[in-house]
Every structure is written in structure tokens, then in C-alpha cells.
């Protein structure tokens, strides 16, 4: 990042800010990630398709959600969805499709804002969009996020169904993280159903 400032290269600076923000996010340093992304929004770069802005708003939604700033997270997810175009941004895959991810952060934020039906609608939109894409990780991600929302809604059977779909995709394509999250959610459903031993396992 320092080198990009010395070179006065705004395009590279924007990329470095996003990379550092992603690293901070993965380290759980959400406030630091937010600050880097806010800097990125101020870097003057040519972005005719809105790709860099979409990336920034999606990651800001994630960062703000994890800080408990649910209204602001929802706003950022909405900004991302305003920029998102399914065909133009199909190949923009940080991990999962960013349009699907924006719907998911909107869904979880809406839940914590006390709007469960709107939250479910956003999760269903995420699943519908993910089903149109040829990208298994995005589909696994969308089913995992839907399972989390169903868990919050205390819908045990639906949580189990979404978690099993997550697990099936994760095992088929080799996504260890999603295997773990799917198993955690299945463990919860087993325990709630009065069978704690498999839940603990």
C-alpha cells in the first residue's frame, strides 16, 4: 500500500486497500477492515462497470454486520445490489458471487432489525440467484446462510434441510469450511430434537 502511494497509482492502491481489508476481515478485525474500505471508496479509479464499488459495498456489509451495525450493513448490501448485474458481475468471485452475498448480508441484518419475513425473502432471493449460477461454492454458501437464518427463526426441519444441502455440496466439491459449518448446524438440529449425543459429535 505504501508503494502504491509512492507510485501515485490509484488503481493499484484500490486493489491493495481491498486486499488488506479482506485480510483484516478474516482476522476478525472488523473496524480496521471498515476503515480501509471507506478509504477505498474515496480513491478515484475508473470503474465503469461498478465492479470495485460492488466489492467494497459487499465487504462493508459483512464488516458492519459483524460489528452489530445492522442498519448500516443493510444499507451497504442494498448499495451493492444496486450495482450488481448478474451477467456483468458473474465472474466477480472473491469466494462466492457478490450479488448472492449481498442478499445474504441483507437477510441476516433484517433478522436482527426485527424483520423476520423480509429477512426470509432476501435469503430466498439469494438461493434463487445462486441456483442460476454454475458456481458450487456460491450455492453452498447460500444454503449455509439460509440454514443460519432458519436456525434463528427456530425452524428446525428447514434448518436441517438447508444444512444437509450445504454438506452435500461441500463434500462433493471439497469445501472444508462449509463442511464444518454444515455439521455445526446439523448438530444444533439434533440437540433441539432431543438427541444431544449426535449433536455433540
Amino acid at each position: 500500500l505504501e508503494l502504491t502511494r509512492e507510485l501515485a497509482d490509484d488503481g493499484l492502491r484500490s486493489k491493495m486497500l481491498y486486499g488488506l481489508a479482506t485480510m483484516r476481515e478474516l482476522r476478525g478485525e472488523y473496524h480496521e477492515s471498515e476503515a480501509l474500505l471507506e478509504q477505498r471508496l474515496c480513491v478515484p479509479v475508473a470503474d465503469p462497470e461498478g465492479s470495485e464499488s460492488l466489492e467494497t459495498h459487499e465487504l462493508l456489509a459483512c464488516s458492519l454486520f459483524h460489528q452489530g451495525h445492522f442498519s448500516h450493513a443493510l444499507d451497504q448490501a442494498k448499495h451493492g445490489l444496486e450495482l450488481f448485474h448478474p451477467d456483468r458481475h458473474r465472474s466477480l468471485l472473491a469466494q462466492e458471487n457478490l450479488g448472492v452475498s449481498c442478499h445474504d448480508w441483507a437477510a441476516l441484518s433484517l433478522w436482527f432489525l426485527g424483520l423476520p419475513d423480509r429477512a426470509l425473502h432476501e435469503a430466498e432471493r439469494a438461493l434463487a440467484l445462486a441456483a442460476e449460477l454454475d458456481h458450487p461454492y456460491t450455492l453452498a454458501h447460500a444454503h449455509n446462510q439460509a440454514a443460519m437464518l432458519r436456525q434463528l427463526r427456530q425452524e428446525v426441519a428447514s434448518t436441517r434441510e438447508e444444512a444437509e444441502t450445504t454438506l452435500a455440496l461441500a463434500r462433493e466439491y471439497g469445501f472444508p469450511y462449509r463442511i464444518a459449518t454444515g455439521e455445526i448446524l446439523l448438530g444444533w438440529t439434533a440437540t433441539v430434537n432431543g438427541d444431544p449425543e449426535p449433536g455433540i459429535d
Side-chain angles (χ1 to χ4, degrees), residues 175-194:
F175 306 140
Y177 178 67
R178 287 296 168 219
I179 291 173
T181 58
E183 287 179 341
I184 288 166
L185 288 159
L186 276 183
W188 176 81
T189 64
T191 303
V192 170
N193 282 330

Side-chain angles (χ1 to χ4, degrees), residues 32-121:
E32 291 83 353
S33 177
E34 178 191 357
L36 290 162
L37 292 166
E38 293 289 354
Q39 286 183 55
R40 191 188 197 212
L41 287 173
C42 297
V43 177
V45 293
D47 188 20
E49 294 190 346
S51 299
E52 292 195 15
S53 294
L54 169 58
E55 290 174 336
T56 304
H57 288 299
E58 185 275 336
L59 193 54
L60 267 172
C62 176
S63 181
L64 290 163
F65 173 83
H66 285 109
Q67 293 178 73
H69 304 314
F70 304 121
S71 292
H72 294 311
L74 179 59
D75 288 341
Q76 293 299 325
K78 286 180 177 177
H79 285 314
L81 288 168
E82 287 167 3
L83 292 164
F84 178 71
H85 189 281
D87 295 326
R88 188 185 308 146
H89 297 126
R90 183 177 293 268
S91 62
L92 262 186
L93 298 169
Q95 286 186 33
E96 62 278 344
N97 180 278
L98 297 181
V100 173
S101 190
C102 282
H103 280 302
D104 282 326
W105 293 124
L108 290 170
S109 295
L110 285 162
W111 165 266
F112 284 103
L113 289 168
L115 298 163
D117 292 338
R118 285 180 58 191
L120 185 58
H121 176 67

Side-chain angles (χ1 to χ4, degrees), residues 10 73 80 94 124 163:
D10 288 333
E124 288 171 345

Side-chain angles (χ1 to χ4, degrees), residues 1-10 13 17 36 39:
L1 181 59
E2 289 302 323
L3 283 171
T4 67
R5 287 175 178 145
E6 290 177 25
L7 294 167
D9 189 324
D10 288 333
R13 185 180 174 209
L17 285 166
L36 290 162
Q39 286 183 55

Side-chain angles (χ1 to χ4, degrees), residues 20 24 28 33 48 53 61 73 84 103 117 136 138 148 157 162 164 168 180 199:
L20 285 169
R24 293 288 194 175
S33 177
S53 294
F84 178 71
H103 280 302
D117 292 338
T138 290
M148 290 172 59
E162 297 291 358
E164 286 175 340

